[in-house]
Amino acid sequence: MITNVRSDRVKQVKALGRRSARDKAGLFLVEGRQAVRELIRFAPMSIRDVYLDAEATERHPDLRELAGEWADGAPANVRRFVHDCSPQVLAAMCDTEQPQGIIAVARPIDRPLADVLAGSPKFVVICTNVRDPGNAGTVIRGADATGADAVILSDASVDLYNPKLVRSSVGSLWHLPISRGSSIEEIFAACRAAGLTLHAADGVGETLLPDVDLATPHAWVMGNEAWGLEPEVREQCDDVVRVPIYGHAESLNLAMAATVCLYASAAAQN
Amino acid sequence: MITNVRSDRVKQVKALGRRSARDKAGLFLVEGRQAVRELIRFAPMSIRDVYLDAEATERHPDLRELAGEWADGAPANVRRFVHDCSPQVLAAMCDTEQPQGIIAVARPIDRPLADVLAGSPKFVVICTNVRDPGNAGTVIRGADATGADAVILSDASVDLYNPKLVRSSVGSLWHLPISRGSSIEEIFAACRAAGLTLHAADGVGETLLPDVDLATPHAWVMGNEAWGLEPEVREQCDDVVRVPIYGHAESLNLAMAATVCLYASAAAQN
């Protein structure tokens, strides 16, 4: 049982809240029951450690069991650890105030741009200049819910492994291929090569969502939560699409707009 | 120019961050440019004071002008005030860290249940046990965007005048009729009397969203962000509808689910 809140281990895990420490260690923090559960199910090889407290063990025996299976299922040359900790240690390691009694430390799972676009995708989501981690995580959750084939975060977006992004994706991070770090020019070129039509989503768009052909392979291009897409990015797309507004609202927020666009894609393809 | 951050006025405005103080004063706090702009446009009679700093005045002369028109347009027996403040005073009055240089103090605008259901509504949204102010505000924004006829918050939901709810509604609070404080029993009875079909929205639902008839008048019933709708509430509805999930995501969050359901209503009615 780990009880010393001042140990080096606690400091190292806590440091993963910062991007520089994540990049240096090649690790990131996964907090909360649903996120850790999906991590163990979908990306067990990427996990390094699981930490949980007595309450989580007692209340969620299935999760404890899943963590045990994960550790036992390791190849012979790999050692995996499920660590019992005091709630204080868990709180000291965490970014959030409510870690729900369980966290994991895992290795990045993003894939090269060419990989996520292989296999004739039907629709994908590109985020450029999305800065709020909660929005980006919610867009990934929406992409997962609608059966999108991939999410691509441009180099000008929030870090994929930001703890708040990981939390708000609620496990969707491991459910579909995600790429990060490419420039928007590289991303557009790769999407064109993969035969995808580029639909910019922006409140200034002249094409209404119900009028867009979403039965053919395409990519949605989502921009910054405050200022939308830059004109030079919009101009490279095949059309600029806006979600119709029927009342007096000036706009939708990014996560809402993305969810509506992605459900339109899913409806056209299912 | 108000510069004393320790004045009684500053304390009184600041106190409106707490529900008890709001209920006692019969006033609430409206923060940020878009929210104040929509407040002045749509509910000018409900405003008591507008506070702004030099930067907001300089950067958004249209907003200053709008506030001036609001003050000048008052009936002869009413005095309205636009107060210049230091940024420090504005920050001391606020709930948020980024008040964007302008806030207002306003009177409640919610209406009796019978009022918001008058006039043959086509579709409305009911929130019961929604506890997170950001979610509730986003649902109101979604209801506005889709042209819903009303939003009804049950007595077991977050306070409509919570500053975070007001911010996340981005002005939609004043764009459509909103009722609060009735029990779910009263709300359901009133909706039935108004001829509305009750569609519960919940991930456990057996009816898929695309299969629901949304061309006839209806109410969406949205539940708590964590546990959904209670069984006894679901049972009183005509059906329990779930948004289809095409990928591995376990669920959508409340705001996403509400947005998708409401856009389906708008599409069926426009």
Side-chain angles (χ1 to χ4, degrees):
Chain A
M1 165 89 89
I2 305 174
T3 56
N4 180 6
V5 297
R6 288 184 196 80
S7 70
D8 282 350
R9 177 190 290 269
V10 172
K11 283 176 201 147
Q12 284 157 10
V13 174
K14 173 76 181 174
L16 298 177
R18 297 195 313 272
R19 183 169 190 162
S20 57
R22 288 195 293 276
D23 287 348
K24 196 173 164 194
L27 292 168
F28 70 105
L29 192 58
V30 181
E31 300 162 302
R33 288 193 299 274
Q34 185 66 10
V36 174
R37 184 178 279 127
E38 298 307 290
L39 169 64
I40 297 177
R41 282 188 183 146
F42 284 80
M45 297 301 292
S46 75
I47 313 175
R48 209 189 62 168
D49 295 282
V50 172
Y51 297 91
L52 78 178
D53 68 16
E55 201 193 324
T57 297
E58 193 175 318
R59 279 207 186 179
H60 303 280
D62 60 315
L63 199 50
R64 174 81 212 198
E65 203 175 312
L66 196 64
E69 283 171 19
W70 160 72
D72 295 342
N77 60 337
V78 175
R79 295 181 69 188
R80 290 174 174 177
F81 297 99
V82 180
H83 309 274
D84 292 300
C85 323
S86 66
Q88 291 75 19
V89 161
L90 218 56
M93 284 175 165
C94 272
D95 179 69
T96 175
E97 286 169 24
Q98 297 179 308
Q100 300 183 307
I102 187 160
I103 65 171
V105 171
R107 293 181 198 88
I109 42 71
D110 58 279
R111 289 153 60 171
L113 185 57
D115 275 22
V116 306
L117 290 171
S120 307
K122 288 178 177 172
F123 67 103
V124 306
V125 191
I126 299 165
C127 290
T128 175
N129 281 306
V130 173
R131 299 285 163 79
D132 179 77
N135 280 335
T138 305
V139 171
I140 292 171
R141 187 176 179 182
D144 180 18
T146 54
D149 294 294
V151 175
I152 301 167
L153 293 190
S154 81
D155 56 2
S157 285
V158 61
D159 181 29
L160 181 59
Y161 302 109
N162 178 298
K164 197 175 169 205
L165 187 155
V166 176
R167 283 201 302 279
S168 58
S169 89
V170 205
S172 289
L173 204 62
W174 297 283
H175 291 166
L176 77 174
I178 303 179
S179 173
R180 65 163 182 162
S182 303
S183 70
I184 194 69
E185 287 76 21
E186 292 167 332
I187 295 168
F188 281 1
C191 285
R192 293 276 183 212
L196 302 178
T197 303
L198 298 174
H199 300 301
D202 197 300
V204 304
E206 301 214 333
T207 306
L208 280 173
L209 179 61
D211 299 332
V212 182
D213 169 20
L214 297 172
T216 52
H218 58 274
W220 281 109
V221 185
M222 317 294 309
N224 180 271
E225 36 275 270
W227 71 75
L229 286 166
E230 290 118 329
E232 59 271 28
V233 170
R234 289 202 304 265
E235 281 159 19
Q236 293 176 63
C237 296
D238 296 289
D239 49 18
V240 183
V241 178
R242 85 172 186 274
V243 177
I245 301 281
Y246 300 95
H248 299 290
E250 197 193 55
S251 64
L252 297 174
N253 71 30
L254 172 67
M256 295 163 87
T259 304
V260 174
C261 290
L262 289 166
Y263 265 99
S265 296
Q269 305 228 353
N270 282 281
Chain B
M1 164 90 87
I2 305 174
T3 57
N4 179 5
V5 296
R6 287 182 197 79
S7 72
D8 281 350
R9 176 189 290 269
V10 171
K11 283 177 200 147
Q12 284 156 10
V13 174
K14 172 77 181 174
L16 298 177
R18 297 193 314 271
R19 183 169 190 163
S20 57
R22 288 195 293 275
D23 287 348
K24 197 173 166 194
L27 292 168
F28 69 105
L29 191 58
V30 180
E31 301 162 301
R33 288 193 299 272
Q34 184 67 8
V36 173
R37 183 177 280 129
E38 297 308 289
L39 169 63
I40 297 177
R41 282 187 183 148
F42 283 81
M45 295 301 291
S46 75
I47 313 174
R48 209 190 61 170
D49 294 283
V50 172
Y51 298 91
L52 78 179
D53 67 16
E55 201 193 322
T57 297
E58 193 176 316
R59 279 208 185 177
H60 303 281
D62 60 315
L63 198 50
R64 174 81 211 197
E65 203 175 312
L66 196 64
E69 283 171 19
W70 160 73
D72 294 342
N77 60 337
V78 174
R79 295 182 67 189
R80 291 174 174 177
F81 297 99
V82 179
H83 308 274
D84 292 302
C85 322
S86 66
Q88 292 76 17
V89 160
L90 217 57
M93 284 175 165
C94 271
D95 179 69
T96 176
E97 286 169 22
Q98 297 179 306
Q100 302 182 306
I102 186 160
I103 65 172
V105 171
R107 292 181 200 88
I109 43 72
D110 58 279
R111 287 152 60 170
L113 185 56
D115 274 24
V116 305
L117 291 170
S120 307
K122 288 179 177 171
F123 68 103
V124 306
V125 192
I126 300 165
C127 290
T128 173
N129 280 306
V130 173
R131 299 285 161 79
D132 178 78
N135 281 335
T138 306
V139 170
I140 292 170
R141 186 176 179 182
D144 179 18
T146 54
D149 294 294
V151 174
I152 301 168
L153 292 190
S154 81
D155 56 2
S157 286
V158 61
D159 181 30
L160 180 60
Y161 303 110
N162 177 298
K164 197 174 167 205
L165 188 155
V166 176
R167 284 202 301 279
S168 57
S169 89
V170 205
S172 290
L173 203 63
W174 297 283
H175 291 166
L176 77 174
I178 302 179
S179 172
R180 64 162 183 163
S182 303
S183 70
I184 194 70
E185 289 73 24
E186 292 167 333
I187 294 167
F188 281 1
C191 286
R192 294 275 182 212
L196 302 178
T197 302
L198 298 174
H199 300 302
D202 196 299
V204 305
E206 303 214 331
T207 306
L208 281 172
L209 179 62
D211 299 331
V212 182
D213 169 21
L214 297 171
T216 52
H218 59 274
W220 281 109
V221 186
M222 316 296 306
N224 179 271
E225 36 274 272
W227 72 75
L229 285 166
E230 289 118 330
E232 59 271 29
V233 171
R234 289 202 303 265
E235 281 158 19
Q236 293 175 64
C237 296
D238 296 290
D239 49 19
V240 183
V241 179
R242 85 170 185 275
V243 177
I245 301 280
Y246 300 94
H248 298 288
E250 199 193 54
S251 63
L252 298 173
N253 71 31
L254 172 67
M256 295 163 87
T259 304
V260 174
C261 291
L262 289 166
Y263 264 100
S265 295
Q269 305 228 354
N270 282 281

